[in-house]
Amino acid sequence: MPCTREVQVAFILSSFVTFFCGLLILYISRLICASFKKYQNSEGRRILLELITRKSFKSKHSGGLPFKGVFRDRIQMLLSAQTFVGRVLVILVFVLSIGSLIIYFINSSDPVGSCSSYEDKTVSVDLLFNAFFSFYFGLRFLAADDKIKFWLEMNSIVDIFTIPPTFISYYLKSNWLGLRFLRALRLLELPQILQILQAIKTSNSVKFSKLLSIILSMWFTAAGFIHLVENSGDPWLKDRNSQNLSYFESVYLIVATTSTVGFGDVVARTSLGRTFIIFFTLASLILFAKYVPEIVELFANKRKYINSYEVVKGKKFIVVCGNITVDSVSAFLSNFLRHNLGEISTEIVFLGENPPSLELETIFKCYMAYTSFVFGSALKCEDLRRVAVEHAEACLIIANPLCSDSYAEDTSNIMRVLAIKNYYPKTRVIIQILQSHNKVYLPKIPSWNWKAGDNIICFAELKLGFIAQGCLVPGLCTFLTSLFVELNTKVTPKQLWQKHFLNGLKHKILTQHLSDDFVGMTFPEVSLICFVKMNLMLIAIEHKSAMHSGLILNPSVQVRLRKNTIGFFIAESAKEVKRALFYCSTCHSDVNNPELIAKCDCKTKSHRHNIRGVSVVAAKSSVRETASSATQECFLSRSSSLVTTFSGRTFLYEKDQDTDQLDSSGMFHWCKAISLDKVILKRSDKRKREFRNHVVACVFGDAHSALMGLRNFVMPLRASNYALKELKDIVFIGSLDYLQREWRFLRNFPQIYILPGSALFSGDLHAANIEECSMCAVLSPPYKPSSSQTLVDTEAIMTTLNIGSLRISCSAQTPSNSTEACRTSKYRRIPILTELKNPSNIHFIEQLGGMKGSLPGTNLHLSTSFSTGAVFSGSFLDSLLATAFYNYRVLELLQMLVTGGISAQLEQQLDKDKQYEPADSCLTFFSARARCKLGLLSLNKTILSEIQPRDYFGQVFCDSLNNFGILCLGLYRMIDEEERNPEHKRGVCFVITRPAKDLKLLPSDLVFCAIPFSTSFYKKDDVSSQQPYETVNLESLTQENILDSNKPPTINPVNTDAPQYWHSSDPPVDPAMNSFFVPNQTMLYQSDKLSSQIHPGENGKENVKEIIQEDVSESSVPN
């Protein structure tokens, strides 16, 4: 039946009147309540009111308010869907709302101007639905804290504009469509309902359902409004411009308008409809610009990245997971692909927990030939199955070094390792760890296997170890870093020192199996042959025997090379080190050009060493080793009374109480736990004047900062291969709240002090006697999430500026490494090593240094500050992940050099609680500390002064290794000694890594050396003014002086005409102990009495010496 204009107005007015009248009532009620509270709070009237209403209302208020609060809480609990009844109620309301919307769709087929009678069953059903909606609306109203805010909510507006017309229809016995289309806004609750039903669980599905509900509710609601106004016409024209438009046609018009495609077949004719289309078009453009790309991205990424990786037989691949971002992926790819040298043989499968961004997708497209991305988590077995972890060469886990919570980052990565090992125990895992104390959990995983290649790269351990080595030996931090830095930028040097520095950056640590012709020879012999004839610098070997195996840096002559020995070289390319494998004593004995040494077809190549009598040397050496072994066994059997057993270990005698005290591993100096109060310094403390040649460490942190692990900084400075008298005092300047948290890890190391304060204050620096320190290390503060990339190094840069502004007079007592600078200047610089988290901040340090002629660009590793050893950044540590995969031995060598000898295998054997206990045996005491140490030797003030001639690096390299067992690795050379150089810039040195053998030496050059443990460095006539980095040999322990242990050591009688050198106070070391087991990476040997190890009476070795000297004289002198 037709609906008159009056009936339609009645339906619409019922909604508007209800809305505005309810809003007005609520607003007036709030004003009355506010006035009543204000009136009640007045002092006099409140007392009067209490007297009047005390009896009549006391019982009512005391009983009513609690009941009201409990009832309200239960309603809120019911509406929050936290109970079963509440969930049923919320789902029922949504289902009935959709049912009411469907009834609207059915009734919309009738003309808008007609009214449905109650004979239509849909009208009665809709009335029942709205009655339930009224009940639900009342519950929500009672549970609301702010009634006005509730009244203006979207769901409340939908109920207010749809429920009252239903009761009007009951009174009029007819129903009209009106504003019932607003029920479509209930579709916005679709994501919540699906979550309650557990139909969607992933974040992508929740996001998609939300976007879908927004679009559908917007379309249906807008189509309902267009359907109403187009069929009714403009009110002021009395329906003259109305048109018969179905609801489906209205939806079609809305969708076409949203897509900005107007076909013109269906258009709005009324003024109200056209005005609505104008605003709807603008709103739809904004909404669709925001939501449609997200929906497309969800569908595209889901189809693109949920597929499983297809394993191809014979094709190698690795899985990379963890911190998959643009920066981490870019750094990893650049380092990983560098090792392939253009031949991509290993594919990379990235397993990311988030879909890749557009930037990350661009990177994957650039490397699409050998990279692929799979969306998933390493914590889920199904995702590990999709990337075929069981067939992968290894699984690499990348950490985020810039995270705000390092503990959470480490534990999440450890959980990934646990999930991978649970899925397939034989998978090789290489993981990056931020904090060293979190490493202890990984070896406890039952399937963790060091021998299978499982490895840990600890950022804190390596980073602080590098800085500690820079404090021990100036420039050593840069020297070690340059061996692992890869420069992709082509730079043209402008000055000679820049050319030398850049040439050094080309060298890397490479490994290669050594030729079988070296079997039976000693390391010095092989190293000299490699250096002279092949232009290779051999620095270490991987020695394997029945008793022990491990890496040895500069081993002594007691170690004879075996078959398949792996050598560690400092060289430019893998092609160069192949010469050590192809070397043939028969075919290459007369070859002088290293490039001509290639694989030969010699059929007689075997264990016969035909280099001018070397076979005789090998034979005699074998006889001596056999006789020595038999003598030692006989001696040990006869001297069983001297042997003591302790904890299953055998050693010869207990160490004296006066000797150095080491921890249970024998790797570090140890002392009883020291209380914090005893090491805290005050600015007025007189003990500060006692600090000389010490290390000052500037630390930033507070009581809530993450621990950076200062133990990793202290351990290399307390390594046992340094004698107790060689240890330098360490003074930490920083917040006491932070340092007392670190102290429980430092209390068992000797000679450590804490000065509460700040390095930004010059008074605290002077209190630490910084003017007489050997090195000041500025450690970067822990990362803060609010800090920008540029401001993360603010404290470190400001401290460097503060220390650099101090002018120290050379008249005061100065460290020995500042002697050269003081000869040409009245003032000297305080040696400083600054750590930067952001390498791009190097330009601030360069400005502070004031050095001219720096290399172009802002690359930290091309800066003058880096070349001089004044700055360090751990950004290059990301490259070690690829290094550990391709050659884990290089990583082991780096860990051995940087951390003071600690290794993963050693950590596996030591109990955490016993690590800081004293050594329990003489064997541990001697064998663990008898390893080489890195030092810086002067050409004129040390034992190197005995080398004649020493005009070229090749001469010094050969003679120092041949006569003293000292392995020369690089140079530390002054940049400018000219008078035109300003005073405060004189004495600045730069690093030359692996110099050429024909490089001419300067008198002021210092030499980076691997020095045997048994060697000190000061001359007899300089004892009173002992200088660091000068050498003395120790006499080895033989059978005779073992039997007479009370006999004091005597000076080596060899070369009695040469200047005599003092013996150190360290106890002698028995060569027989070299045969005992020492953990991998820490098995380093003494080089005792190398001045007499050439065995002058043996013709074979004399011939080798002559050949080497001839080759050096020919090759070292430039044409």
Side-chain angles (χ1 to χ4, degrees), residues 934-1000:
L934 299 178
L936 198 59
L937 303 184
S938 171
L939 290 175
N940 298 320
K941 299 181 180 181
T942 65
I943 199 171
L944 298 184
S945 62
E946 301 300 319
I947 298 176
Q948 295 296 337
R950 56 176 186 275
D951 298 328
Y952 300 95
F953 178 78
Q955 296 172 341
V956 175
F957 179 90
C958 294
D959 287 347
S960 63
L961 185 59
N962 198 20
N963 298 328
F964 312 120
I966 298 176
L967 180 64
C968 300
L969 304 174
L971 296 177
Y972 199 46
R973 173 172 292 185
M974 286 191 181
I975 289 182
D976 192 358
E977 294 183 288
E978 301 293 336
E979 292 296 331
R980 68 175 183 272
N981 199 18
E983 289 186 354
H984 68 283
K985 299 175 186 176
R986 295 180 192 169
V988 178
C989 301
F990 70 99
V991 175
I992 303 179
T993 305
R994 204 281 186 221
K997 57 184 177 183
D998 58 351
L999 178 65
K1000 187 172 180 59

Side-chain angles (χ1 to χ4, degrees), residues 365-413:
K365 289 178 181 178
C366 294
Y367 299 95
M368 62 183 304
Y370 34 83
T371 61
S372 58
F373 182 86
V374 177
F375 176 64
S377 174
L379 299 174
K380 298 180 180 179
C381 293
E382 56 269 21
D383 293 334
L384 295 175
R385 188 178 299 109
R386 287 166 50 214
V387 296
V389 167
E390 64 273 17
H391 300 290
E393 294 293 311
C395 185
L396 280 59
I397 302 177
I398 302 177
N400 180 16
L402 297 180
C403 66
S404 57
D405 190 350
S406 57
Y407 177 78
E409 179 70 12
D410 283 347
T411 51
S412 62
N413 287 332

Side-chain angles (χ1 to χ4, degrees), residues 632-646 648-654 921-923 1042-1043 1070 1073 1076:
Q632 292 171 8
E633 292 178 1
C634 179
F635 163 71
L636 292 177
S637 63
R638 294 177 181 178
S639 306
S640 59
S641 60
L642 298 176
V643 177
T644 306
T645 302
F646 185 81
R649 299 180 182 178
T650 304
F651 57 95
L652 296 178
Y653 53 86
E654 294 288 347
S921 72
C922 183
L923 169 64
I1042 289 178
L1043 293 175
D1070 184 4
M1073 292 183 182
F1076 288 96

Side-chain angles (χ1 to χ4, degrees), residues 426-479:
K426 295 183 179 180
T427 302
R428 179 188 176 192
V429 176
I430 303 174
I431 180 177
Q432 290 180 342
I433 288 292
L434 300 181
Q435 297 296 331
S436 59
H437 55 266
N438 293 326
K439 294 169 55 179
V440 67
Y441 301 106
L442 292 167
K444 295 180 180 179
I445 298 176
S447 54
W448 184 268
N449 189 355
W450 297 104
K451 296 181 180 179
D454 293 342
N455 219 324
I456 305 171
I457 302 174
C458 180
F459 280 9
E461 183 179 78
L462 293 175
K463 179 187 68 173
L464 294 175
F466 270 101
I467 298 175
Q469 295 296 337
C471 294
L472 281 171
V473 181
L476 184 57
C477 180
T478 295
F479 176 84

Side-chain angles (χ1 to χ4, degrees), residues 62-308:
S62 61
L65 290 176
F67 172 76
K68 181 179 179 181
V70 172
F71 179 72
R72 186 173 174 180
D73 292 340
R74 295 207 174 169
I75 295 178
Q76 289 178 345
M77 182 69 68
L78 187 68
L79 298 177
S80 63
Q82 296 182 11
T83 62
F84 175 77
V85 178
R87 288 193 290 270
V88 172
L89 179 61
V90 172
I91 295 173
L92 182 60
V93 170
F94 178 79
V95 171
L96 295 182
S97 298
I98 300 302
S100 179
L101 182 62
I102 294 175
I103 293 175
Y104 168 79
F105 291 157
I106 296 173
N107 294 336
S108 64
S109 59
D110 299 333
V112 175
S114 61
C115 291
S116 301
S117 63
Y118 265 69
E119 296 178 357
D120 189 355
K121 296 182 179 180
T122 58
V123 177
S124 303
V125 174
D126 188 56
L127 180 63
L128 293 176
F129 287 174
N130 281 274
F132 182 79
F133 296 151
S134 301
F135 168 74
Y136 187 70
F137 180 85
L139 292 178
R140 292 174 52 240
F141 182 81
L142 293 176
D145 296 328
D146 190 342
K147 307 301 182 183
I148 296 180
K149 184 178 179 180
F150 163 79
W151 199 261
L152 297 176
E153 289 179 355
M154 187 194 64
N155 288 335
S156 300
I157 293 176
V158 171
D159 290 337
I160 292 171
F161 280 88
T162 55
I163 294 176
T166 304
F167 295 103
I168 296 296
S169 67
Y170 178 77
Y171 175 76
L172 298 177
K173 302 301 180 182
S174 61
N175 197 8
W176 182 55
L177 288 176
L179 302 178
R180 287 160 56 190
F181 61 85
L182 293 176
R183 283 288 168 192
L185 294 176
R186 282 283 185 178
L187 287 172
L188 294 174
E189 298 180 0
L190 177 63
Q192 179 185 359
I193 301 302
L194 293 178
Q195 285 181 313
I196 294 176
L197 295 175
Q198 296 184 353
I200 54 177
K201 298 180 180 179
T202 64
S203 59
N204 285 339
S205 57
V206 173
K207 189 175 183 179
F208 173 73
S209 62
K210 180 183 287 188
L211 296 177
L212 183 64
S213 63
I214 291 175
I215 293 174
L216 292 179
S217 61
M218 181 183 66
W219 280 350
F220 291 155
T221 304
F225 182 82
I226 291 295
H227 179 260
L228 176 63
V229 298
E230 290 298 317
N231 284 278
S232 300
D234 293 325
W236 55 86
L237 296 180
K238 297 182 179 180
D239 303 339
R240 288 196 298 269
N241 59 346
S242 63
Q243 61 173 332
N244 189 12
L245 193 68
S246 65
Y247 185 80
F248 176 77
E249 292 175 332
S250 300
V251 174
Y252 172 77
L253 174 62
I254 291 298
V255 174
T257 303
T258 304
S259 62
T260 66
V261 179
F263 296 103
D265 51 347
V266 179
V267 295
R269 296 181 180 178
T270 62
S271 299
L272 288 176
R274 292 176 177 178
T275 304
F276 175 79
I277 289 295
I278 292 173
F279 290 101
F280 178 78
T281 302
L282 296 177
S284 61
L285 287 175
I286 296 174
L287 291 176
F288 269 68
K290 179 180 180 180
Y291 293 123
V292 170
E294 294 185 11
I295 296 179
V296 174
E297 183 181 358
L298 285 175
F299 275 103
N301 285 342
K302 191 171 183 180
R303 296 195 207 100
K304 189 175 181 180
Y305 299 119
I306 63 173
N307 297 328
S308 300

